[in-house]
Amino acid sequence: MKISLHRVLTGVAMLTAAALTTASCGFGGDDDSSNDPNVINLLVPSYSDGANGTKALWDGIIADFQQANSDITVKLQVESWDTINDVVRTKLQSESTTPDILNIDAYAEFAGDGQLYPAEDIVSAEVLADIQPSFAENASIDGTQWALPLFASTRTLFYNTELFERAGVAAPPKTWTELTDAARKIQALGDGISGYGLPLGSEEAQAETSIWTFGAGGSWSDGDTLTIDTPANLEGVRAMRAIIDAGVTQPNPGATDRADVINAFIQGKIGMIEGLPPTIGQIAEKNPSLKYATAPTPTKTGAPVTLGVADHLMAFKKDGGKQAAIEKFLSFFYAPASYAKFVSNENFIPITVSGAEALADDPVAEAFSATLPTAEFYPSNNPKWAAAQGTMQQQMGTIAQGADPAEVLRKIQQAAS
């Protein structure tokens, strides 16, 4: 599952571990391929495991590409979302270990430092034209596109229909008041069942927080300025604190990661969670008999809004010698046959027009594509967002231990200054 930065207390140890990992596997260190124009070093996170997981998908694409381009070698390194940000920081300390192509979420800091190729230099004109405009805009700074959206994810409410029936909840909640009321009734069932899953651990606290701040009418940016400490955002964070104080979430929400909440929902131990496209596949794999349905995310007023996320591919230009090989590989990846297979197997939403057409009958894409019109995104094109996001992951869970929501938002705003 997707995870980002770790807490500060473990940072030093993890950087050391990341350095050891760099020297022992993947590319870099004593590897002499860093300057070879026909060797591409590709660093990606793992979105899924198993025989058909992320590594297997990339291995298949690379094999197909190299069969058609025998003069180019692609070296793959796959890291968990739990470690990839630390691995990236370590690798970028030297040009010889810097990846040629990287897949993570934030790109703006690298673009601001002049490290990346413009998108127009690393894929064909046909691929650029195929990317849906809103995603291209989110990958651009001052009119220049610096990254390639990989795929999209939105969030929607997943609810256990069997628990709803047992608790006497007639319909999925539309407002926070209805959400708390439904969660209270489900919590009262006992037997270790929680009403609502609230993951504010360091895995992805910024996602759950965004769902609530957006639901209050807030946002994280205004033009080029990050707007963290605002009245609307504070109202959203206070609403999270209120549902914690109501005692209707899983135990210790401030230290619970998203993966744990999703697994508990799949096991029938949580009544409601905010799920994402891969959740459908996980339920089908782990507990196909689970009785559940989906509904729009509850908000303060009931007006629909949700979180949208788009991870990115980016290419580091270094001495510029690998541009031709990178363009061949990325253009191959975004061709409909390769790209649609990748997105479908990872259970996300395609960001290309041709990919959407190819997956028109895919149940995940069909269900979640409808949420895109109400989705709001992280300000990934702001170079300071990475620092804000990291601090949010470290600090937001403290509201479950009594921290003042206003003070937490002030800390995050300071980190983004």
Side-chain angles (χ1 to χ4, degrees):
M1 302 301 295
K2 182 177 176 182
I3 311 174
S4 292
L5 300 175
H6 269 300
R7 296 181 186 276
V8 171
L9 292 177
T10 60
V12 174
M14 292 191 64
L15 281 170
T16 302
L20 292 173
T21 300
T22 300
S24 61
C25 66
F27 50 85
D30 296 330
D31 189 348
D32 62 0
S33 66
S34 61
N35 293 319
D36 188 328
N38 290 316
V39 176
I40 299 171
N41 294 313
L42 171 63
L43 176 59
V44 304
S46 177
Y47 291 93
S48 59
D49 301 318
N52 297 311
T54 301
K55 184 179 185 304
L57 289 170
W58 277 117
D59 282 341
I61 289 169
I62 290 168
D64 290 343
F65 172 75
Q66 291 182 163
Q67 186 174 7
N69 300 271
S70 59
D71 58 325
I72 299 175
T73 299
V74 181
K75 294 187 174 183
L76 174 68
Q77 181 171 347
V78 182
E79 296 286 342
S80 74
W81 273 104
D82 199 37
T83 61
I84 193 167
N85 288 285
D86 295 308
V87 172
V88 169
R89 283 195 292 270
T90 300
K91 284 186 174 293
L92 263 62
Q93 292 177 13
S94 169
E95 185 172 292
S96 66
T97 57
T98 295
D100 299 305
I101 301 174
L102 173 65
N103 167 205
I104 53 173
D105 43 7
Y107 68 89
E109 184 176 1
F110 306 132
D113 289 341
Q115 295 178 281
L116 302 181
Y117 283 110
E120 65 181 3
D121 290 347
I122 55 172
V123 287
S124 66
E126 290 77 13
V127 169
L128 278 183
D130 197 25
I131 295 173
Q132 297 186 45
S134 61
F135 292 99
E137 182 179 352
N138 197 46
S140 303
I141 301 174
D142 296 332
T144 299
Q145 184 175 339
W146 293 101
L148 300 168
L150 180 60
F151 41 50
S153 171
T154 58
R155 305 300 165 93
T156 198
L157 186 75
F158 282 65
Y159 63 98
N160 185 311
T161 55
E162 184 176 0
L163 293 180
F164 265 49
E165 183 177 351
R166 287 174 54 194
V169 181
K174 295 181 179 180
T175 66
W176 291 341
T177 299
E178 293 173 357
L179 175 66
T180 303
D181 182 61
R184 186 175 286 112
K185 292 176 180 177
I186 294 168
Q187 193 90 16
L189 294 173
D191 195 27
I193 294 172
S194 301
Y196 180 76
L198 186 74
L200 294 181
S202 61
E203 179 184 7
E204 210 184 22
Q206 83 280 3
E208 185 72 21
T209 303
S210 297
I211 291 167
W212 290 78
T213 55
F214 295 167
S219 66
W220 297 130
S221 66
D222 182 7
D224 295 333
T225 303
L226 289 186
T227 53
I228 310 296
D229 186 12
T230 67
N233 289 341
L234 179 58
E235 187 172 10
V237 177
R238 282 176 171 165
M240 289 196 300
R241 173 68 177 271
I243 201 168
I244 294 170
D245 291 344
V248 297
T249 71
Q250 81 284 1
N252 200 11
T256 307
D257 287 338
R258 184 189 68 183
D260 297 325
V261 164
I262 291 175
N263 285 333
F265 178 82
I266 293 172
Q267 295 163 11
K269 291 297 185 180
I270 295 181
M272 297 172 284
I273 62 168
E274 284 293 330
L276 59 165
T279 306
I280 293 176
Q282 291 170 333
I283 293 172
E285 177 185 356
K286 298 178 179 179
N287 187 10
S289 63
L290 183 72
K291 296 179 180 179
Y292 77 98
T294 62
T297 296
T299 62
K300 176 186 175 182
T301 65
V305 66
T306 190
L307 167 67
V309 178
D311 288 342
H312 296 91
L313 286 166
M314 60 207 76
F316 289 82
K317 61 184 180 182
K318 297 188 275 189
D319 66 0
K322 300 191 181 187
Q323 180 182 349
I326 289 170
E327 181 179 355
K328 282 185 179 180
F329 178 69
L330 289 177
S331 295
F332 180 90
F333 171 74
Y334 278 100
S338 300
Y339 179 70
K341 179 180 178 181
F342 186 89
V343 175
S344 177
N345 278 274
E346 292 287 27
N347 292 305
F348 284 102
I349 305 169
I351 54 80
T352 63
V353 174
S354 62
E357 292 172 349
L359 296 175
D361 296 327
D362 182 271
V364 173
E366 183 178 3
F368 276 85
S369 293
T371 65
L372 285 174
T374 63
E376 295 189 18
F377 292 81
Y378 301 134
S380 300
N381 54 2
N382 190 307
K384 296 181 179 180
W385 172 244
Q389 174 177 295
T391 306
M392 198 177 300
Q393 290 169 311
Q394 297 160 13
Q395 293 292 327
M396 193 54 67
T398 63
I399 68 168
Q401 283 80 48
D404 180 8
E407 180 60 26
V408 170
L409 285 181
R410 280 194 289 271
K411 289 180 180 179
I412 299 167
Q413 185 75 64
Q414 289 171 0
S417 300

